[in-house]
Amino acid sequence: MGVRGLQGFVASTCPHVCTVVNLKDLAAQHRSRHPGCAPTVVVDAMCCLRYWYTPESWVCGGQWREYFAALRDFVKSFTAVGIRLVFFFDGTVEQGKRGEWVRRRLKNSKEISRIFHHIRSHRQQPGRNMFFIPSGLALFTRFALKALGQETFCSLREADYEVASYGLQHNCLGILGEDTDYLIYDTCPYFSISELCLESLDTVLLCREKLCESLGLRRADLPLLACLLGNDTVPEGVFESFRYKCLSSYTSVKENFDKKGNVILAVSDHIAKVLHLHQGEKKLEDILPLGPNKALFYKGVASYLLPGQKSPWFFQKPKDIITLNKQVITVSSDPEPKQDVPVCTDPESQQNVSMCTDPESRQEVPMCTDPESKQVVTMCTDSESKQEVPMCTDPESKQQVPMCTDPEWKQQVPMCTDPEWKQEVPVCTNPESKQEVPLYADPVSKQEVSMCTYPEIQEKLPVATDSEFKLEASVCTHPEIEQEDAMNMGPEIKQQGTMVSDTEILKVARTHHVQAESYLVYSIMSSGEIECSNTLEDELDQALPSQAFIYRPVRQRVYSLLLGGYADGVSTCPAVKEWFVYPGNPLKHPDLVRPLPMTVPGGTPSLKMLWLSQEPEVQVRRLDTLLACFNLSSSREELQALESPLAALCCLLIYLFVQVDTLCLEDLHAFIAQALCLQGKSTAQLVNLQPDYVNSRAVQLGSLLVRGLTTLVLVNSACGCPWRTGEFMPWNVFDGKLFHQKYLQCEKGYSVEALLEQNRSRLARFHSLKAVVCKACLRENRRIVARAHWGTHHTGRWGRQGSSSHRTDSGHSRSGQGQPWRDQGPGNRQYEHEQWRRY
């Protein structure tokens, strides 16, 4: 993460950049300087997951009760000294960083292979040097922090940008994280989470001013340095030859520095002694070998500019016009945060990237003027303005492009009708190709290519509220943050229309997303693209299919619910792009997955009913819809009769055992027994629990159940929260070590009484839960039998000689297709009799 090599360079070459500080003392100083203002630390939560996960066991599926206790201690340490915490989580993977995301996922897959090799060889968990965070940790951490009363947000773009923006605009005490990008952003101080001592609140301050002093640079030079060295936007190899030339001409190479350190010093020296000489006189592309990477490089530099900031490296012409790689960027010279932000125009393609402008400025920004076609498209940035905008006329075709005026924003954009989406989307016409290109339009702000993270929306919408967290989803979250991604100029970023045209529903989905109350819903509805990171799955175990495939039918029904995917049995919306990591997937392209129809008693309700209605009877409709997503409508009465949180767990177990043939009766016993025994155990008892050894199949089963819980979060939020979120949080229904212990006891033939630790009060509940699961599975022609009763068919598959163990929801086994799960290409798998293909 961050700038390549900078972390090691600072630690080895510039140790004076790192200063030990005490956050309690800094908070006291902050209060004296700003009376009445609570000192606030904004936390990059994704950087802190490894620090927070302190339980010794991590391979069995997660020690969730211990983890929740660790989070509670973390929060208490700060609140005890009057420090307010604000947490940010990554909510999306930006298109320009998809390649980096893929690279890391493939690297993680290799690490997971080594983990399972160690488990099979030694029958124990690997050392902390091979530590891999449990599946779903980031998602469940969001809900854990909200349960602890903390302000928790999910980003609409790269989280580090929103963290840096929040820290700057709210005059925060500092940023807590572990990402060298925070040394590059010109924002509040940056503290290291890895160096934090929770008892004393001592940590290390990484000072960007001292870094600049060591390198002979100014703070405004740091984004330039970061892109020349390589970061998540600009690949390291792009400027490798340039760095080599800098190193060869650098006269102060020190033998005791490593090569990386010398490269950083050499590039910094080139910036200070060469580039500074031409600054303001020559364009950056004239003094750097940018070549075909100009747009990408400028985008990388601009990605570090926070609201109200500008870069002196953008060569300025009169009227505040900056020319970048045949692109025009208009900026304001006003240094205050409320200012116009750049407009990027490519005169060759005539595609415009319109920017969000402060409504109080009441200034118009020209979007696109082509001297050959004479086309002009002007945008009114004041939401209250009544000014009309001329239509766009092509002098060659003499045809006018119709303009659609949005009644809320009063702005006009060319429109076309997409036959696939059955909706109108704004377009930009390229005079060379004569093709109309759809522009991305954010239905919330009504602006083209809108990347504004927290638009200023002052209204509240009635929504389904989780009574546990006392949450109300209001649309207005951070009106202070108004700047958009000003430099979205890379041609690799393809503009898209949203998947849903209902702006009211999208506002609600966006709000739930930002306030970290939902999972994947807004991504599905806005971009039609989702991702899921690595899971602890053994690629050599052919008997258990990947969680990506097991839960796919559920996701497909959610797509149908969110996108209105079926009419008269025919799909009416585009496929959703799934970036899911599973063994054998090279992640070169997303999987295109189309919605599946589902049957809800009484008909599928609308999202407005599910999300906005306050009528008591709608709660019944919400539950009906949730069960329909799992194809479990027939089990409604049995599940409703169960106590919380066991109803949610049983729903998941029924679905799992229907889907996967190679789950046996012993597996069911282990799942149920651990859930019942968990309710009677303290955190200390769980800490001291030690399974006899580690079984690779049990490891995968633990991860499989936890991924099921994350799927349940998706379904529950899509259906308007018929179940309280806390009912299926893992700290209430699952403990990795406890499940492992019960699994091993089942392998050894322990009786049910022994599994339940001779607690007779649990026995009746055990048989009741088991009966619900077995009865529901029988309805789908799935009979759960003990492993000892398996015939050669099951034994063969268990021995990884047969075919897939996956079942469709109709109960027909996928067996006999001739290839194991891991050997089938994604294009060969079918779901619900519908072929799906690679994108």
Side-chain angles (χ1 to χ4, degrees):
M1 297 174 66
V3 183
R4 303 293 185 265
L6 187 57
Q7 186 74 42
F9 171 78
V10 168
S12 62
T13 308
C14 305
H16 62 284
V17 172
C18 305
T19 306
V20 176
V21 295
N22 183 269
L23 294 177
K24 180 180 178 180
D25 295 341
L26 293 179
Q29 297 170 18
H30 188 277
R31 275 189 291 268
S32 64
R33 291 194 302 267
H34 307 281
C37 180
T40 301
V41 171
V42 55
V43 184
D44 185 339
M46 302 301 289
C47 294
C48 301
L49 294 178
R50 288 174 176 266
Y51 176 88
W52 287 332
Y53 192 86
T54 55
E56 180 181 332
S57 174
W58 48 268
V59 79
C60 295
Q63 302 310 114
W64 298 99
R65 191 81 64 79
E66 295 177 54
Y67 181 65
F68 189 89
L71 285 177
R72 183 173 54 231
D73 292 342
F74 179 86
V75 170
K76 282 183 178 178
S77 297
F78 283 87
T79 55
V81 298
I83 296 178
R84 168 176 166 253
L85 297 173
V86 177
F87 298 87
F88 277 83
F89 288 80
D90 273 324
T92 186
V93 177
E94 294 183 4
Q95 290 300 319
K97 298 189 177 182
R98 178 63 70 184
E100 178 64 19
W101 184 89
V102 168
R103 185 188 68 81
R104 292 176 183 172
R105 302 291 80 77
L106 295 177
K107 179 182 178 183
N108 288 346
S109 295
K110 294 180 180 178
E111 294 172 356
I112 289 174
S113 295
R114 289 195 292 269
I115 290 171
F116 275 101
H117 176 75
H118 182 95
I119 293 172
R120 286 191 299 270
S121 301
H122 303 283
R123 300 213 305 176
Q124 64 182 15
Q125 175 180 281
R128 190 75 178 189
N129 62 312
M130 296 178 71
F131 172 72
F132 196 87
I133 63 173
S135 300
L137 189 67
L139 172 64
F140 294 124
T141 302
R142 282 155 45 180
F143 287 98
L145 291 170
K146 295 185 82 68
L148 292 169
Q150 298 304 294
E151 295 179 69
T152 308
F153 300 103
C154 199
S155 71
L156 286 166
R157 57 174 296 170
E158 199 72 15
D160 57 3
Y161 181 90
E162 296 193 16
V163 167
S165 297
Y166 190 96
L168 175 67
Q169 297 194 14
H170 291 79
N171 191 28
C172 290
L173 181 66
I175 292 169
L176 188 61
E178 202 69 29
D179 189 336
T180 48
D181 276 337
Y182 294 126
L183 271 173
I184 307 301
Y185 285 111
D186 191 0
T187 182
C188 61
Y190 162 41
F191 305 118
S192 169
I193 181 65
S194 65
E195 299 294 334
L196 175 65
C197 175
L198 200 57
E199 290 75 18
S200 64
L201 288 184
D202 286 337
T203 187
V204 167
L205 165 68
L206 289 90
C207 181
R208 63 183 64 88
E209 287 77 12
K210 290 183 179 180
L211 175 64
C212 290
E213 182 181 320
S214 300
L215 299 177
L217 301 177
R218 302 165 304 193
R219 284 191 297 182
D221 299 330
L222 292 178
L224 183 67
L225 174 67
C227 292
L228 290 173
L229 294 176
N231 55 18
D232 289 348
T233 302
V234 182
E236 188 176 13
V238 168
F239 293 103
E240 185 172 5
S241 59
F242 168 77
R243 292 193 296 271
Y244 178 79
K245 290 179 181 178
C246 290
L247 186 62
S248 62
S249 60
Y250 184 49
T251 57
S252 302
V253 173
K254 299 182 180 180
E255 294 181 359
N256 58 327
F257 289 172
D258 59 13
K259 180 181 178 182
K260 205 70 165 181
N262 282 325
V263 167
I264 293 175
L265 290 171
V267 173
S268 301
D269 185 70
H270 184 84
I271 294 173
K273 295 180 179 178
V274 178
L275 301 188
H276 279 175
L277 295 177
H278 303 288
Q279 190 173 8
E281 299 177 1
K282 292 184 178 181
K283 292 180 290 186
L284 200 52
E285 60 260 35
D286 293 337
I287 53 179
L288 279 177
L290 301 184
N293 301 298
K294 294 177 186 177
L296 179 64
F297 181 77
Y298 282 119
K299 181 177 182 290
V301 173
S303 69
Y304 290 107
L305 302 182
L306 302 178
Q309 296 179 349
K310 59 181 180 179
S311 173
W313 288 104
F314 295 152
F315 179 58
Q316 301 202 26
K317 290 183 176 181
K319 297 183 181 180
D320 295 323
I321 298 294
I322 302 175
T323 301
L324 305 180
N325 184 32
K326 296 184 180 181
Q327 297 169 340
V328 178
I329 295 183
T330 308
V331 297
S332 165
S333 58
D334 181 6
E336 296 300 317
K338 290 193 174 182
Q339 64 172 12
D340 290 348
V341 282
V343 175
C344 172
T345 305
D346 184 347
E348 292 182 357
S349 67
Q350 300 305 314
Q351 294 190 19
N352 309 296
V353 179
S354 58
M355 293 294 112
C356 173
T357 305
D358 179 19
E360 297 180 4
S361 67
R362 303 183 185 279
Q363 297 180 0
E364 293 184 343
V365 181
M367 281 183 59
C368 169
T369 303
D370 180 16
E372 297 180 4
S373 67
K374 309 300 183 185
Q375 294 185 6
V376 179
V377 179
T378 338
M379 294 289 291
C380 173
T381 56
D382 179 12
S383 60
E384 299 179 358
S385 173
K386 306 294 184 181
Q387 298 182 13
E388 295 185 355
V389 185
M391 287 171 41
C392 195
T393 305
D394 186 342
E396 296 184 9
S397 64
K398 307 301 181 183
Q399 294 180 352
Q400 289 186 326
V401 180
M403 308 293 286
C404 172
T405 303
D406 184 277
E408 187 173 340
W409 278 76
K410 309 300 187 294
Q411 63 187 40
Q412 296 178 321
V413 289
M415 302 294 293
C416 78
T417 301
D418 188 321
E420 187 175 9
W421 295 337
K422 310 298 184 185
Q423 66 183 57
E424 290 187 330
V425 293
V427 299
C428 175
T429 304
N430 186 337
E432 295 182 4
S433 64
K434 303 296 187 298
Q435 294 180 348
E436 292 181 325
V437 182
L439 294 177
Y440 172 88
D442 188 335
V444 178
S445 64
K446 304 298 192 303
Q447 299 192 70
E448 295 174 310
V449 197
S450 173
M451 297 289 289
C452 193
T453 306
Y454 299 107
E456 193 164 358
I457 304 173
Q458 301 297 341
E459 61 182 297
K460 287 189 177 183
L461 297 176
V463 293
T465 305
D466 189 324
S467 57
E468 178 188 10
F469 299 138
K470 310 297 183 187
L471 301 175
E472 181 180 359
S474 60
V475 173
C476 182
T477 51
H478 291 304
E480 303 89 343
I481 304 179
E482 296 176 358
Q483 179 164 358
E484 300 177 340
D485 182 5
M487 303 293 177
N488 186 13
M489 36 177 137
E492 74 282 0
I493 308 260
K494 296 183 179 179
Q495 298 165 334
Q496 296 177 324
T498 58
M499 304 283 281
V500 175
S501 59
D502 189 327
T503 58
E504 183 182 12
I505 283 298
L506 274 167
K507 282 181 180 180
V508 179
R510 179 186 177 115
T511 300
H512 287 170
H513 173 92
V514 169
Q515 295 183 345
E517 297 168 13
S518 66
Y519 173 56
L520 297 180
V521 170
Y522 183 67
S523 296
I524 294 167
M525 298 178 71
S526 61
S527 66
E529 188 169 24
I530 62 172
E531 56 276 324
C532 180
S533 188
N534 302 77
T535 304
L536 281 180
E537 295 178 334
D538 187 0
E539 62 181 353
L540 298 183
D541 184 356
Q542 301 288 341
L544 288 175
S546 169
Q547 64 87 20
F549 302 115
I550 292 175
Y551 297 112
R552 175 168 282 174
V554 179
R555 298 194 301 273
Q556 288 176 285
R557 295 189 189 93
V558 171
Y559 302 157
S560 179
L561 176 66
L562 297 178
L563 306 177
Y566 267 79
D568 298 325
V570 179
S571 178
T572 59
C573 69
V576 173
K577 299 175 184 176
E578 289 190 347
W579 294 90
F580 273 60
V581 182
Y582 51 84
N585 184 8
L587 293 172
K588 293 182 179 179
H589 306 286
D591 295 332
L592 284 188
V593 181
R594 295 197 175 274
L596 279 179
M598 64 177 178
T599 303
V600 182
T604 303
S606 68
L607 292 180
K608 286 187 177 181
M609 176 186 289
L610 293 174
W611 295 2
L612 303 179
S613 176
Q614 302 298 318
E615 298 299 324
E617 60 270 15
V618 175
Q619 189 67 5
V620 175
R621 305 283 286 135
R622 293 181 179 120
L623 180 58
D624 285 341
T625 308
L626 181 146
L627 294 178
C629 288
F630 286 95
N631 200 29
L632 295 179
S633 298
S634 59
S635 300
R636 186 183 191 282
E637 291 185 7
E638 292 92 336
L639 291 172
Q640 265 196 313
L642 297 176
E643 61 186 289
S644 170
L646 298 177
L649 178 65
C650 269
C651 171
L652 199 53
L653 290 178
I654 294 169
Y655 179 82
L656 271 177
F657 277 78
V658 169
Q659 290 292 108
V660 185
D661 284 349
T662 50
L663 293 177
C664 60
L665 195 60
E666 289 86 351
D667 299 328
L668 179 60
H669 287 178
F671 278 126
I672 297 176
Q674 73 86 30
L676 293 176
C677 293
L678 177 62
Q679 297 177 355
K681 292 191 181 295
S682 66
T683 302
Q685 288 175 311
L686 294 171
V687 170
N688 294 326
L689 194 64
Q690 295 298 332
D692 294 339
Y693 61 92
V694 175
N695 178 286
S696 61
R697 183 174 181 273
V699 167
Q700 188 162 339
L701 287 180
S703 295
L704 184 59
L705 184 78
V706 172
R707 283 299 187 196
L709 294 175
T710 66
T711 303
L712 202 50
V713 175
L714 164 63
V715 177
N716 195 56
S717 52
C719 296
C721 298
W723 282 334
R724 291 171 60 249
T725 309
E727 293 182 6
F728 49 87
M729 288 294 104
W731 46 87
N732 289 327
V733 295
F734 182 79
D735 179 271
K737 284 196 298 185
L738 184 58
F739 169 72
H740 222 86
Q741 181 190 65
K742 300 305 176 186
Y743 180 90
L744 297 180
Q745 289 175 350
C746 286
E747 270 200 337
K748 296 174 183 176
Y750 277 40
S751 66
V752 172
E753 290 78 6
L755 287 178
L756 299 175
E757 300 169 4
Q758 308 303 327
N759 187 318
R760 298 186 63 84
S761 65
R762 296 173 186 157
L763 191 58
R765 298 165 70 200
F766 176 91
H767 287 297
S768 175
L769 295 176
K770 176 182 174 181
V772 169
V773 175
C774 292
K775 182 179 178 181
C777 288
L778 280 175
R779 290 195 191 101
E780 296 294 327
N781 299 321
R782 166 72 159 104
R783 183 167 176 264
I784 306 173
V785 298
R787 194 175 309 172
H789 296 157
W790 280 0
T792 56
H793 172 68
H794 283 91
T795 304
R797 278 191 285 164
W798 204 270
R800 298 190 294 278
Q801 302 299 319
S803 64
S804 159
S805 58
H806 181 269
R807 297 171 63 93
T808 67
D809 290 329
S810 62
H812 300 295
S813 174
R814 293 286 185 191
S815 61
Q817 293 181 355
Q819 283 186 311
W821 267 93
R822 306 298 193 258
D823 294 337
Q824 292 185 21
N828 294 329
R829 296 193 179 93
Q830 298 179 354
Y831 290 88
E832 297 291 328
H833 311 290
E834 178 179 349
Q835 186 81 14
W836 59 279
R837 65 188 187 281
R838 269 292 193 195
Y839 174 70

